[in-house]
Amino acid sequence: MAYTNGGIPQDDPYGAIYFAKKYGLTVRDAKFIIAANGPSRRTCDAAAAAFVRNKAARFRKWLR
């Protein structure tokens, strides 16, 4: 089992509120990402990063 720097097992599922705060998401978006990607922290981290990048790109497009 791989551990993060905080000593939390990498494969333990995220709580929606903690996950939302970590990535600056709404709790609704966090729950959706967790549900869509399963309980793996690695998978959810990758999905959240992609979600945030996509959201930023859409915002930049909107500003034009």
Side-chain angles (χ1 to χ4, degrees), residues 3-5 8-15 18-23 25 30 33-34 37-53:
Y3 287 89
T4 61
N5 290 337
I8 299 169
Q10 188 68 21
D11 294 331
D12 281 357
Y14 274 119
Y18 173 78
F19 188 66
K21 286 181 181 179
K22 181 176 180 180
Y23 287 100
L25 305 169
I33 291 170
I34 292 168
N37 293 286
S40 171
R41 285 178 176 252
R42 288 180 184 162
T43 306
C44 288
D45 286 338
F51 182 85
V52 170
R53 280 193 310 269

